[in-house]
Amino acid sequence: MLAKMFSDELLPKLPPLGSQEGVSDPVVHMKFFTRDAEWAWYVTEGSPTDDDFMFFGFVFGIEQEWGYFSLSDLADVCGPSGFPVERDLRFEPDSFSKVIAREIRWRTSRPAGNLHIGSC
């Protein structure tokens, strides 16, 4: 499951944690999402940690906020219909301002969904 979400070939493409700190409009490199809860995690940076991988990015769900999340955290989340978090394979890196503008247009008048932690 984790290998499908984030393969080793993506490592060189993702800036390490802290590398875009202070950048007013950082590049978003990948998107994770739940198809049935309409949550999205937009990744700007990431680095391996012990036996996991830690990301920094913007989470668009019930709240919208910047923060850290791990690959194992994403693997433990599923939407109300039991769909796991997936990586958007069609996502093209772009500036945060452009990515969020598209997200807001797409979400206009769409309610946020609920997430469940644990086995999907």
Side-chain angles (χ1 to χ4, degrees):
M1 163 85 169
L2 294 178
K4 285 174 105 177
M5 286 176 52
F6 188 71
S7 62
D8 288 341
E9 67 206 29
L10 297 172
L11 285 172
K13 298 176 184 177
L14 190 59
L17 289 174
S19 63
Q20 294 195 78
E21 189 172 330
V23 175
S24 62
D25 197 13
V27 173
V28 177
H29 291 273
M30 66 181 66
K31 174 185 176 182
F32 294 99
F33 69 98
T34 57
R35 67 173 72 189
D36 58 344
E38 297 181 4
W39 278 57
W41 294 260
Y42 290 98
V43 176
T44 57
E45 305 169 346
S47 295
T49 58
D50 298 325
D51 60 345
D52 206 346
F53 199 90
M54 186 64 67
F55 298 105
F56 182 78
F58 193 78
V59 180
F60 211 118
I62 294 172
E63 301 287 330
Q64 292 81 46
E65 61 187 345
W66 288 97
Y68 293 92
F69 46 94
S70 70
L71 189 57
S72 61
D73 291 339
L74 294 175
D76 286 341
V77 171
C78 58
S81 298
F83 289 107
V85 172
E86 302 174 57
R87 184 170 56 87
D88 185 343
L89 300 176
R90 294 176 287 149
F91 182 80
E92 294 290 330
D94 207 343
S95 67
F96 174 74
S97 60
K98 291 179 182 174
V99 167
I100 292 306
R102 286 192 303 264
E103 181 74 19
I104 290 170
R105 280 193 306 270
W106 181 79
R107 288 176 177 262
T108 302
S109 75
R110 296 178 72 116
N114 296 320
L115 289 179
H116 301 276
I117 307 299
S119 181
C120 293

